[in-house]
Amino acid sequence: MATAASPYPFSKAAIIPPVASTPPPAPLLLGKGLMQHLQQTLPTPEKQKLLTTYFSKRHPERILPGSVLTVILGHAPTTFSGVLMGIRRRGADTSFVLRNVINRTGVEMQFFVNSPHVKDIKIIQRAGGSGGGRKGRRMRRAKLFYLRDSPEKMTAISAGVRG
């Protein structure tokens, strides 16, 4: 069936010729340009502080799902406010999802904490922790995607109404 010349016996069109790999440029092999690359990819000190306080798992000032946040962006739309639906913790690639109802339409936006477009994150209302109490209403889930199906609950959370 298959011969040594043709590793794929069915069609000659599926055979992909080997790509001649090009070696990296000589300056990169010597370490030139590495710091510039790291400065572009590593979090700035402000973003690092956000990651270690607001988006940490155990920090006392962490943001919990159900909190109402305002994110100030460097491009249009300049601000977006909404209920924190969930946090995806992946080190420098940590992101979070905010949801708001605008003109009777549910709008969700995902923001990456380390993105250069995110200028600031303001906490409008905190969700309560395991103790509950005065901090706010306690959410019992890590991801609040069930709020997509019940806009009344979401508006009640963002309005600060208990119910």
Short mmCIF file of all heavy atoms in Angstrom, two decimals, residues 41-73:
data_model
loop_
_atom_site.label_atom_id
_atom_site.label_comp_id
_atom_site.label_asym_id
_atom_site.label_seq_id
_atom_site.Cartn_x
_atom_site.Cartn_y
_atom_site.Cartn_z
N THR A 41 5.55 42.66 28.51
CA THR A 41 4.66 41.56 28.89
C THR A 41 4.42 41.46 30.39
O THR A 41 3.35 41.00 30.80
CB THR A 41 5.23 40.22 28.40
OG1 THR A 41 6.55 40.07 28.90
CG2 THR A 41 5.25 40.17 26.90
N LEU A 42 5.36 41.87 31.22
CA LEU A 42 5.18 41.75 32.67
C LEU A 42 4.24 42.85 33.18
O LEU A 42 4.19 43.94 32.63
CB LEU A 42 6.52 41.85 33.39
CG LEU A 42 7.45 40.66 33.21
CD1 LEU A 42 8.76 40.93 33.92
CD2 LEU A 42 6.82 39.40 33.75
N PRO A 43 3.49 42.56 34.26
CA PRO A 43 2.58 43.58 34.81
C PRO A 43 3.35 44.75 35.41
O PRO A 43 4.41 44.58 35.99
CB PRO A 43 1.83 42.83 35.92
CG PRO A 43 2.08 41.39 35.69
CD PRO A 43 3.34 41.27 34.91
N THR A 44 2.76 45.95 35.26
CA THR A 44 3.32 47.14 35.89
C THR A 44 3.09 47.04 37.40
O THR A 44 2.28 46.24 37.86
CB THR A 44 2.65 48.40 35.33
OG1 THR A 44 1.25 48.34 35.64
CG2 THR A 44 2.83 48.51 33.82
N PRO A 45 3.79 47.85 38.19
CA PRO A 45 3.57 47.77 39.65
C PRO A 45 2.13 48.04 40.07
O PRO A 45 1.63 47.43 41.01
CB PRO A 45 4.51 48.86 40.20
CG PRO A 45 5.58 48.99 39.17
CD PRO A 45 4.93 48.73 37.86
N GLU A 46 1.43 48.95 39.36
CA GLU A 46 0.02 49.22 39.70
C GLU A 46 -0.83 47.99 39.43
O GLU A 46 -1.69 47.62 40.25
CB GLU A 46 -0.52 50.40 38.89
CG GLU A 46 0.19 51.72 39.15
CD GLU A 46 1.46 51.90 38.32
OE1 GLU A 46 1.57 51.27 37.24
OE2 GLU A 46 2.34 52.65 38.76
N LYS A 47 -0.60 47.35 38.28
CA LYS A 47 -1.38 46.15 37.95
C LYS A 47 -1.00 45.00 38.87
O LYS A 47 -1.85 44.20 39.24
CB LYS A 47 -1.12 45.75 36.48
CG LYS A 47 -1.51 46.82 35.47
CD LYS A 47 -3.01 46.99 35.41
CE LYS A 47 -3.43 48.14 34.52
NZ LYS A 47 -3.42 47.86 33.12
N GLN A 48 0.26 44.93 39.26
CA GLN A 48 0.70 43.88 40.18
C GLN A 48 0.01 44.05 41.53
O GLN A 48 -0.38 43.07 42.16
CB GLN A 48 2.22 43.95 40.35
CG GLN A 48 2.82 42.77 41.08
CD GLN A 48 2.72 41.49 40.29
OE1 GLN A 48 2.86 41.49 39.09
NE2 GLN A 48 2.48 40.40 40.98
N LYS A 49 -0.19 45.31 41.95
CA LYS A 49 -0.88 45.56 43.22
C LYS A 49 -2.35 45.15 43.13
O LYS A 49 -2.91 44.58 44.06
CB LYS A 49 -0.76 47.05 43.59
CG LYS A 49 -1.31 47.34 44.95
CD LYS A 49 -0.97 48.73 45.41
CE LYS A 49 -1.36 48.88 46.85
NZ LYS A 49 -2.31 49.86 47.12
N LEU A 50 -2.98 45.44 41.97
CA LEU A 50 -4.36 44.99 41.77
C LEU A 50 -4.45 43.47 41.84
O LEU A 50 -5.37 42.92 42.46
CB LEU A 50 -4.88 45.46 40.41
CG LEU A 50 -5.27 46.93 40.26
CD1 LEU A 50 -5.66 47.22 38.83
CD2 LEU A 50 -6.40 47.28 41.19
N LEU A 51 -3.50 42.79 41.21
CA LEU A 51 -3.52 41.33 41.19
C LEU A 51 -3.34 40.75 42.59
O LEU A 51 -3.98 39.76 42.95
CB LEU A 51 -2.43 40.79 40.26
CG LEU A 51 -2.70 40.91 38.77
CD1 LEU A 51 -1.44 40.57 37.99
CD2 LEU A 51 -3.84 40.03 38.34
N THR A 52 -2.45 41.36 43.39
CA THR A 52 -2.17 40.79 44.71
C THR A 52 -3.20 41.19 45.76
O THR A 52 -3.29 40.52 46.79
CB THR A 52 -0.77 41.21 45.19
OG1 THR A 52 -0.69 42.63 45.18
CG2 THR A 52 0.31 40.61 44.33
N THR A 53 -3.98 42.24 45.54
CA THR A 53 -4.99 42.62 46.55
C THR A 53 -6.39 42.23 46.09
O THR A 53 -7.01 41.34 46.66
CB THR A 53 -4.95 44.12 46.84
OG1 THR A 53 -5.12 44.84 45.63
CG2 THR A 53 -3.65 44.52 47.49
N TYR A 54 -6.89 42.88 45.05
CA TYR A 54 -8.28 42.68 44.65
C TYR A 54 -8.56 41.29 44.08
O TYR A 54 -9.63 40.74 44.27
CB TYR A 54 -8.68 43.71 43.58
CG TYR A 54 -8.85 45.12 44.12
CD1 TYR A 54 -8.88 46.19 43.26
CD2 TYR A 54 -8.98 45.36 45.47
CE1 TYR A 54 -9.04 47.48 43.73
CE2 TYR A 54 -9.13 46.65 45.95
CZ TYR A 54 -9.16 47.70 45.08
OH TYR A 54 -9.32 48.96 45.54
N PHE A 55 -7.61 40.71 43.36
CA PHE A 55 -7.87 39.46 42.66
C PHE A 55 -7.13 38.28 43.28
O PHE A 55 -7.00 37.24 42.66
CB PHE A 55 -7.52 39.61 41.18
CG PHE A 55 -8.39 40.63 40.52
CD1 PHE A 55 -7.94 41.92 40.30
CD2 PHE A 55 -9.68 40.31 40.15
CE1 PHE A 55 -8.76 42.87 39.72
CE2 PHE A 55 -10.50 41.26 39.56
CZ PHE A 55 -10.05 42.53 39.35
N SER A 56 -6.69 38.43 44.52
CA SER A 56 -6.07 37.33 45.24
C SER A 56 -7.17 36.43 45.81
O SER A 56 -8.32 36.85 45.96
CB SER A 56 -5.22 37.90 46.38
OG SER A 56 -4.77 36.87 47.21
N LYS A 57 -6.81 35.19 46.13
CA LYS A 57 -7.81 34.28 46.70
C LYS A 57 -8.06 34.54 48.17
O LYS A 57 -9.17 34.36 48.65
CB LYS A 57 -7.36 32.83 46.51
CG LYS A 57 -7.77 32.23 45.21
CD LYS A 57 -7.56 30.75 45.26
CE LYS A 57 -8.32 30.11 44.13
NZ LYS A 57 -8.31 28.66 44.21
N ARG A 58 -7.02 34.95 48.90
CA ARG A 58 -7.13 35.02 50.34
C ARG A 58 -6.94 36.41 50.95
O ARG A 58 -7.00 36.55 52.15
CB ARG A 58 -6.09 34.08 50.96
CG ARG A 58 -6.16 32.67 50.43
CD ARG A 58 -6.26 31.66 51.53
NE ARG A 58 -6.19 30.29 51.06
CZ ARG A 58 -7.24 29.65 50.57
NH1 ARG A 58 -8.39 30.24 50.44
NH2 ARG A 58 -7.11 28.39 50.19
N HIS A 59 -6.69 37.42 50.15
CA HIS A 59 -6.45 38.77 50.70
C HIS A 59 -7.74 39.31 51.30
O HIS A 59 -8.82 39.12 50.76
CB HIS A 59 -5.95 39.69 49.58
CG HIS A 59 -5.29 40.92 50.10
ND1 HIS A 59 -6.00 42.04 50.46
CD2 HIS A 59 -3.98 41.21 50.33
CE1 HIS A 59 -5.16 42.98 50.88
NE2 HIS A 59 -3.93 42.49 50.81
N PRO A 60 -7.67 40.02 52.45
CA PRO A 60 -8.90 40.54 53.06
C PRO A 60 -9.62 41.58 52.21
O PRO A 60 -10.83 41.76 52.35
CB PRO A 60 -8.43 41.16 54.38
CG PRO A 60 -6.97 40.99 54.45
CD PRO A 60 -6.50 40.21 53.28
N GLU A 61 -8.92 42.27 51.31
CA GLU A 61 -9.56 43.28 50.46
C GLU A 61 -9.95 42.73 49.09
O GLU A 61 -10.24 43.50 48.19
CB GLU A 61 -8.60 44.46 50.27
CG GLU A 61 -8.33 45.24 51.53
CD GLU A 61 -7.38 46.40 51.25
OE1 GLU A 61 -7.41 46.93 50.13
OE2 GLU A 61 -6.62 46.75 52.16
N ARG A 62 -9.97 41.41 48.94
CA ARG A 62 -10.28 40.82 47.63
C ARG A 62 -11.71 41.15 47.21
O ARG A 62 -12.58 41.43 48.05
CB ARG A 62 -10.08 39.32 47.67
CG ARG A 62 -11.11 38.58 48.53
CD ARG A 62 -10.76 37.11 48.60
NE ARG A 62 -11.74 36.39 49.38
CZ ARG A 62 -11.71 36.27 50.70
NH1 ARG A 62 -10.74 36.86 51.39
NH2 ARG A 62 -12.64 35.59 51.35
N ILE A 63 -11.92 41.13 45.91
CA ILE A 63 -13.24 41.39 45.35
C ILE A 63 -13.94 40.05 45.17
O ILE A 63 -13.38 39.12 44.61
CB ILE A 63 -13.13 42.10 43.99
CG1 ILE A 63 -12.35 43.40 44.12
CG2 ILE A 63 -14.51 42.39 43.43
CD1 ILE A 63 -12.07 44.07 42.81
N LEU A 64 -15.16 39.97 45.66
CA LEU A 64 -15.93 38.73 45.55
C LEU A 64 -16.99 38.87 44.45
O LEU A 64 -17.45 39.97 44.16
CB LEU A 64 -16.61 38.43 46.89
CG LEU A 64 -15.66 38.16 48.05
CD1 LEU A 64 -16.42 38.09 49.35
CD2 LEU A 64 -14.89 36.88 47.81
N PRO A 65 -17.38 37.76 43.85
CA PRO A 65 -18.46 37.80 42.86
C PRO A 65 -19.73 38.36 43.49
O PRO A 65 -20.06 38.07 44.64
CB PRO A 65 -18.65 36.34 42.46
CG PRO A 65 -17.33 35.72 42.73
CD PRO A 65 -16.78 36.43 43.92
N GLY A 66 -20.43 39.19 42.74
CA GLY A 66 -21.60 39.88 43.26
C GLY A 66 -21.31 41.33 43.59
O GLY A 66 -22.23 42.11 43.84
N SER A 67 -20.04 41.72 43.60
CA SER A 67 -19.68 43.11 43.84
C SER A 67 -20.01 43.94 42.61
O SER A 67 -20.05 43.43 41.50
CB SER A 67 -18.18 43.24 44.13
OG SER A 67 -17.82 42.48 45.25
N VAL A 68 -20.26 45.22 42.82
CA VAL A 68 -20.52 46.14 41.71
C VAL A 68 -19.26 46.96 41.49
O VAL A 68 -18.76 47.61 42.41
CB VAL A 68 -21.73 47.05 42.02
CG1 VAL A 68 -22.00 47.98 40.86
CG2 VAL A 68 -22.96 46.21 42.33
N LEU A 69 -18.72 46.89 40.27
CA LEU A 69 -17.45 47.54 39.94
C LEU A 69 -17.64 48.52 38.80
O LEU A 69 -18.55 48.36 37.98
CB LEU A 69 -16.40 46.51 39.50
CG LEU A 69 -16.09 45.35 40.43
CD1 LEU A 69 -15.06 44.45 39.77
CD2 LEU A 69 -15.59 45.84 41.75
N THR A 70 -16.76 49.50 38.72
CA THR A 70 -16.64 50.39 37.57
C THR A 70 -15.21 50.28 37.07
O THR A 70 -14.27 50.47 37.83
CB THR A 70 -16.95 51.84 37.95
OG1 THR A 70 -18.30 51.91 38.40
CG2 THR A 70 -16.77 52.76 36.76
N VAL A 71 -15.08 49.98 35.79
CA VAL A 71 -13.76 49.86 35.17
C VAL A 71 -13.56 51.07 34.28
O VAL A 71 -14.40 51.37 33.42
CB VAL A 71 -13.65 48.55 34.36
CG1 VAL A 71 -12.30 48.47 33.69
CG2 VAL A 71 -13.87 47.36 35.25
N ILE A 72 -12.47 51.79 34.48
CA ILE A 72 -12.14 52.96 33.68
C ILE A 72 -11.14 52.51 32.62
O ILE A 72 -10.09 51.97 32.95
CB ILE A 72 -11.58 54.09 34.55
CG1 ILE A 72 -12.62 54.48 35.60
CG2 ILE A 72 -11.17 55.28 33.71
CD1 ILE A 72 -12.09 55.29 36.73
N LEU A 73 -11.50 52.73 31.36
CA LEU A 73 -10.69 52.26 30.24
C LEU A 73 -9.99 53.42 29.55
O LEU A 73 -10.39 54.57 29.69
CB LEU A 73 -11.58 51.52 29.23
CG LEU A 73 -12.31 50.30 29.78
CD1 LEU A 73 -13.37 49.85 28.82
CD2 LEU A 73 -11.33 49.19 30.03
#
